[in-house]
Amino acid sequence: MTEKDFLPNPYQEFPDKGGVSWKAPSNIALVKYWGKKPVQIPANPSISFTLDNCATTTSLSFAKKEKSDSISFDLMFEGRPKDDFKPKIQTFLERVERYVPFLKAYHFTIETSNSFPHSSGIASSASGMAALSLCLMDVEKQLDPDLDETLFYQKASYLARLGSGSACRSIKGHLVQWGQHANIPNSSDLYGLEYPFEVHADFKGYCDTILLVHKGQKQVSSTVGHQLMHGHPYAANRFQQAFDHLDQLKPILKNGDLEDFIKLVESEALTLHAMMMTSMPCFMLMKPDTLEIIQKIWQYREETKTPVCFTLDAGANVHLLYPSSEKDKVCAFIEDELAQHCENGQYIHDYVGAGAVKING
Ligand code: DP6
């Protein structure tokens, strides 16, 4: 597929008004996307577990306009107008307009809400952009009823990527890979792909407890972090590592080899943060409690041989990953040892999910 394949067929219908709703989950990368080229082309391939509980629900209503010369929309977040989110959505809509040219024909009302607490430090851009992209595709489906289902989801992922790179991995379920890789058939820089290889049963329903270490605004945004990979002294090695890790994951995911899974996933998380600490200017997003949690996870794993590991996104929160069969034990460990390092003792239990769903309203 090339960019041209995402230009639409001539629209057959133009309803006067309507509304659609989608719920899209967040995702947690095992091999991290860090570094990009214009426009939203990843410098390296990545793969993530799609989550389930942490999700954004977006409703998009549309009404035909008299004049169709510009993009216009109102934005509501959790029931209230949210003007400070508008510039990001405006940029996104301008970027995708070429691919969904009905945009200027309608005035839109976007109503969005997250299942996770506001400013929990959980990135809502992935689930938010994915939900909005699916809504746009749903409108396109009404204008072009012949639109095929595979293309519908691929294009939703394509559009979501243009909003936020990792959002392209929040459309489909379980494990989603993004970024061209010679050994992964049909892999693409343009959209996420349901992982095409065999995956061991242990990884279905894998648990992710998100330990909310720091809920405030991040000191450096992901966008700036990606930029700092340009001219970074270790960038080339880091990108190669991500390619190699995807190769190494194939037998690990197939055989359910948790020991090697843990090594690879933790190495990815720490390499990501090492890139931040070695960029110019350098920065650090981990907090003292992030490190305390990591130490406790290592100690607990050593003592109990429980296959729990951590990963980190571009922030201080820790994602604790473990098989569902270990849930009771790990929940006790979290309560006894880890919750004290979370802001207000807060954490969120989540698990690997099946991807975005349409909400019938
Ligand atoms: C560390 O997708 O948030 O979470 O494309 O600029 O919106 P933009 O960046 P974003 O970057 C996410 C980076 C990451 C790793 C990952 O999810 O792969």
Side-chain angles (χ1 to χ4, degrees):
M1 296 285 278
T2 67
E3 311 226 321
K4 274 208 214 110
D5 296 312
F6 295 105
L7 294 170
N9 293 323
Y11 296 140
Q12 299 165 35
E13 334 236 333
F14 257 102
D16 284 340
K17 57 182 180 156
V20 292
S21 292
W22 281 79
K23 180 177 172 187
S26 191
N27 69 72
I28 179 67
L30 305 172
V31 174
K32 311 283 179 182
Y33 147 58
W34 199 240
K36 61 178 165 181
K37 299 169 254 182
V39 178
Q40 298 289 96
I41 298 297
N44 65 266
S46 58
I47 186 169
S48 51
F49 277 143
T50 306
L51 297 180
D52 198 85
N53 284 334
C54 292
T56 299
T57 301
T58 297
S59 301
L60 182 71
S61 45
F62 53 99
K64 224 179 214 165
K65 290 191 298 206
E66 294 267 297
K67 264 174 80 184
S68 53
D69 57 355
S70 64
I71 292 170
S72 67
F73 66 96
D74 296 315
L75 183 67
M76 307 280 285
F77 178 68
E78 285 167 6
R80 297 207 186 94
K82 187 82 181 159
D83 285 349
D84 45 335
F85 282 6
K86 278 188 97 174
K88 195 166 180 192
I89 304 291
Q90 176 79 28
T91 307
F92 168 66
L93 294 176
E94 283 168 11
R95 210 178 258 176
V96 299
E97 200 261 335
R98 202 169 156 240
Y99 302 100
V100 279
F102 60 82
L103 277 189
K104 288 184 178 167
Y106 294 107
H107 178 78
F108 293 94
T109 303
I110 304 168
E111 292 180 73
T112 184
S113 62
N114 292 334
S115 64
F116 39 90
H118 186 43
S119 39
S120 56
I122 298 180
S124 58
S125 60
S127 51
M129 289 298 176
L132 180 55
S133 299
L134 283 157
C135 287
L136 293 176
M137 286 313 297
D138 208 338
V139 178
E140 182 154 279
K141 176 86 185 156
Q142 294 184 24
L143 275 57
D144 173 17
D146 299 336
L147 183 73
D148 140 88
E149 192 178 308
T150 307
L151 182 60
F152 177 97
Y153 285 105
Q154 252 171 15
K155 186 166 167 182
S157 174
Y158 178 89
L159 298 179
R161 181 196 106 243
L162 291 171
S164 177
S166 56
C168 78
R169 301 188 313 239
S170 270
I171 304 287
K172 284 290 185 169
H174 305 110
L175 272 161
V176 178
Q177 190 273 334
W178 169 42
Q180 206 172 344
H181 189 297
N183 301 330
I184 304 179
N186 303 321
S187 57
S188 170
D189 284 346
L190 302 180
Y191 50 86
L193 182 78
E194 281 179 276
Y195 190 60
F197 303 126
E198 199 180 327
V199 177
H200 193 275
D202 277 1
F203 293 113
K204 311 249 163 82
Y206 218 71
C207 297
D208 176 7
T209 300
I210 307 159
L211 303 162
L212 303 174
V213 171
H214 181 69
K215 304 198 287 170
Q217 187 78 22
K218 277 189 295 188
Q219 167 208 349
V220 178
S221 71
S222 293
T223 309
V224 172
H226 285 292
Q227 276 164 14
L228 290 172
M229 288 301 278
H230 291 288
H232 191 296
Y234 307 124
N237 283 340
R238 160 60 201 153
F239 300 148
Q240 187 56 47
Q241 183 193 50
F243 279 89
D244 296 344
H245 275 164
L246 273 156
D247 278 329
Q248 290 161 26
L249 259 183
K250 191 176 167 186
I252 293 175
L253 290 174
K254 181 172 176 219
N255 302 327
D257 181 347
L258 294 185
E259 210 173 298
D260 284 345
F261 177 79
I262 288 169
K263 277 190 206 144
L264 189 149
V265 166
E266 291 188 348
S267 154
E268 273 290 321
L270 294 180
T271 313
L272 169 73
H273 283 257
M275 291 300 106
M276 302 173 193
M277 290 190 253
T278 51
S279 60
M280 190 60 86
C282 53
F283 61 107
M284 200 187 290
L285 297 181
M286 290 188 284
K287 299 276 178 200
D289 282 310
T290 312
L291 296 178
E292 297 262 15
I293 289 173
I294 292 174
Q295 295 293 349
K296 284 191 174 176
I297 294 168
W298 282 344
Q299 193 184 346
Y300 175 76
R301 195 164 73 219
E302 177 69 33
E303 285 170 7
T304 66
K305 307 292 171 219
T306 310
V308 328
C309 69
F310 69 87
T311 189
L312 308 166
D313 263 348
N317 295 337
V318 179
H319 289 249
L320 193 65
L321 302 176
Y322 49 95
S324 55
S325 54
E326 306 286 351
K327 196 164 183 195
D328 293 346
K329 244 187 344 179
V330 176
C331 284
F333 166 56
I334 294 168
E335 259 310 298
D336 296 346
E337 297 287 342
L338 306 182
Q340 58 194 274
H341 299 289
C342 300
E343 207 172 316
N344 306 323
Q346 268 187 303
Y347 54 84
I348 301 172
H349 284 307
D350 211 340
Y351 49 87
V352 175
V357 287
K358 184 174 160 96
I359 311 283
N360 294 313

